[in-house]
Amino acid sequence: MSALERDGASGRPQLVDPFGRAITYLRVSVTDRCDFRCVYCMAEDMSFLPKAEILTLEELDRLCSAFVARGVRKLRLTGGEPLVRRGIMTLVASLSRHLRSGQIDELTLTTNGSQLAKYADALRAAGIRRINVSLDTLDAEKFRAITRWGELDQVLSGIDAAQAAGLKIKINAVALKGVNEDEFLQLIEWAHGRGMDLTLIEVMPLGEIGAGRLDQYLPLSLVRARLAERYRLDDIDYRTGGPARYVRVAETGGRLGFITPLTHNFCESCNRVRVTCTGTLYMCLGQNDAADLRKPLRACEANDPLFAAIDEAISRKPKGHDFVIDRRHQRPALARHMSVTGG
Ligand SMILES: C[S@@+](CC[C@H](N)C(=O)[O-])C[C@H]1O[C@@H](n2cnc3c(N)ncnc32)[C@H](O)[C@@H]1O
Ligand code: SF4
């Protein structure tokens, strides 16, 4: 029996949305929990979901595999913090069968780095080649202020371990007004000096987190203009299947990416959807429309109801998002947190 037959997907077509975009990239939040409490992501007293609502590792595997059977070629595990989910390596090792069979091109994850020292070798052994590590500052005190609970040294050791294991790393840094905006030169020199790409991310208005969003918002157009006074930034065509637009920094030779959801639209070429750890499928990061895949997943062992729910959801994938920070009330445009959809 072929893998397609086993998954009940033989004869089913590739997922294509109403605007002709093939869905080839699935981001999966494997937990809503995290060992950090980054100020732009979570409130310090976040309440987390009851266990019964969270998909088991087996259910997550089945869900990912259903998407793979329908043409998804890249899987990214995220969270919350994916590496704090108990048994996470069981899921990674199991999903790696799709790499070996050639059904996917990449299995990867986005992590805060806190557990990397522990897992780097196992990730590499499971076929993971590149990971994203989120790190907004190289200053230990600032790091603590941003993450509330994080230890910079632990993350830096994790990065060392990952590089020693042969994993390629891209650093993601959220640009925060008045917090790390004086540090981008240092971050660039550090990342590029270690052979890592760096991507700067604009703060997105997701979830109530206490502090005013407008206080944190720093337009990357401004950051780029400032960096251009110091470096030659050459536009390059490099794409990773994500929304970042890259330049090469002539002086360091490294790549620098910009993700600008508020000031620039990256929707035309969107090939991705997101699933939360409860099995909710979001067709667009910036819209509330979602589909419940847990119900069809738990309804029966055969995948037919699941495929039907996925097809129906993809037929509703919107053309683009609509992020706006409500400037009068400083309320987020969307009530859910980034730790729900995984960024
Ligand atoms: C939600 S985290 C999940 C994975 C992992 N815990 C980590 O931090 O890399 C994924 C990414 O979203 C980013 N993020 C979280 N909240 C954000 C926000 N409001 N605006 C922009 N990026 C955000 C984080 O910095 C991180 O790079
Ligand atoms: S950004 Fe990542 S590390 Fe920070 S609180 Fe959110 S999920 Fe945790």
Side-chain angles (χ1 to χ4, degrees):
M1 195 197 273
S2 76
L4 285 182
E5 281 161 344
R6 193 183 54 235
D7 294 328
S10 58
R12 291 180 197 261
Q14 153 93 57
L15 295 170
V16 179
D17 79 0
F19 305 96
R21 297 169 296 191
I23 307 305
T24 56
Y25 182 4
L26 177 69
R27 301 176 65 112
V28 189
S29 175
V30 297
T31 177
D32 61 335
R33 285 155 206 270
C34 187
D35 51 346
F36 292 2
R37 289 290 180 280
C38 301
V39 290
Y40 44 74
C41 181
M42 293 188 183
E44 188 155 20
D45 58 347
M46 284 289 281
S47 42
F48 295 105
L49 294 161
K51 205 168 163 211
E53 289 190 25
I54 309 255
L55 299 186
T56 64
L57 295 172
E58 292 75 19
E59 286 169 335
L60 282 167
D61 189 322
R62 220 180 116 202
L63 191 56
C64 291
S65 302
F67 276 92
V68 170
R70 296 296 305 280
V72 159
R73 301 214 46 99
K74 176 169 174 176
L75 289 174
R76 178 178 298 279
L77 306 183
T78 174
E81 173 47 42
L83 296 181
V84 302
R85 170 91 197 234
R86 190 174 302 164
I88 184 65
M89 286 315 300
T90 313
L91 178 65
V92 172
S94 171
L95 290 175
S96 71
R97 71 186 184 279
H98 300 306
L99 279 172
R100 288 191 299 278
S101 73
Q103 266 198 296
I104 60 173
D105 303 315
E106 187 167 25
L107 174 61
T108 184
L109 81 161
T110 300
T111 173
N112 65 22
S114 69
Q115 309 300 313
L116 269 181
K118 187 163 145 200
Y119 289 125
D121 288 330
L123 290 170
R124 169 80 198 187
I128 291 190
R129 293 292 172 263
R130 299 190 306 174
I131 57 172
N132 290 355
V133 179
S134 305
L135 179 64
D136 305 329
T137 176
L138 292 168
D139 175 307
E141 265 175 47
K142 264 193 221 173
F143 186 83
R144 174 47 73 102
I146 294 170
T147 62
R148 291 197 186 99
W149 296 1
E151 287 289 348
L152 178 65
D153 280 347
Q154 197 178 337
V155 173
L156 294 179
S157 304
I159 290 173
D160 289 342
Q163 287 198 307
L167 295 171
K168 278 202 76 85
I169 298 180
K170 178 166 79 76
I171 301 290
N172 283 335
V174 177
L176 298 163
K177 190 164 137 191
V179 179
N180 62 358
E181 63 181 308
D182 56 342
E183 257 197 271
F184 298 141
L185 291 177
Q186 196 196 343
L187 273 168
I188 290 170
E189 304 278 341
W190 171 76
H192 290 177
R194 296 184 55 140
M196 306 186 290
D197 292 344
L198 173 71
T199 295
L200 300 176
I201 309 177
E202 248 170 29
V203 166
M204 293 185 237
L206 294 178
E208 288 290 354
I209 40 127
R213 292 276 173 194
L214 287 177
D215 292 347
Q216 300 174 343
Y217 180 60
L218 174 65
L220 287 188
S221 49
L222 184 66
V223 174
R224 187 177 166 151
R226 283 190 202 149
L227 291 175
E229 289 171 14
R230 173 74 169 71
Y231 296 124
R232 199 181 88 213
L233 307 177
D234 298 326
D235 283 312
I236 51 173
D237 250 353
Y238 181 71
R239 290 273 190 287
T240 56
R245 296 291 172 263
Y246 283 89
V247 297
R248 175 141 342 252
V249 180
E251 289 77 358
T252 63
R255 276 188 294 245
L256 175 65
F258 298 92
I259 299 186
T260 55
L262 293 174
T263 54
H264 188 268
N265 220 327
F266 54 71
C267 304
E268 325 77 50
S269 58
C270 180
N271 61 348
R272 84 207 65 135
V273 290
R274 295 171 167 77
V275 186
T276 69
C277 57
T278 58
T280 305
L281 176 69
Y282 283 94
M283 289 72 88
C284 171
L285 178 62
Q287 303 263 0
N288 276 323
D289 191 23
D292 175 21
L293 299 183
R294 188 178 60 195
K295 203 161 163 216
L297 191 65
R298 288 184 174 171
C300 72
E301 277 177 29
N303 275 344
D304 301 80
L306 178 60
F307 283 127
I310 293 173
D311 280 325
E312 202 280 322
I314 298 302
S315 77
R316 299 203 313 260
K317 183 166 161 67
K319 195 166 179 196
H321 68 59
D322 194 21
F323 278 125
V324 183
I325 296 183
D326 180 333
R327 285 177 197 278
R328 258 179 319 155
H329 305 293
Q330 297 206 4
R331 269 204 304 264
L334 290 172
R336 67 176 191 272
H337 291 88
M338 193 69 117
S339 51
V340 174
T341 39

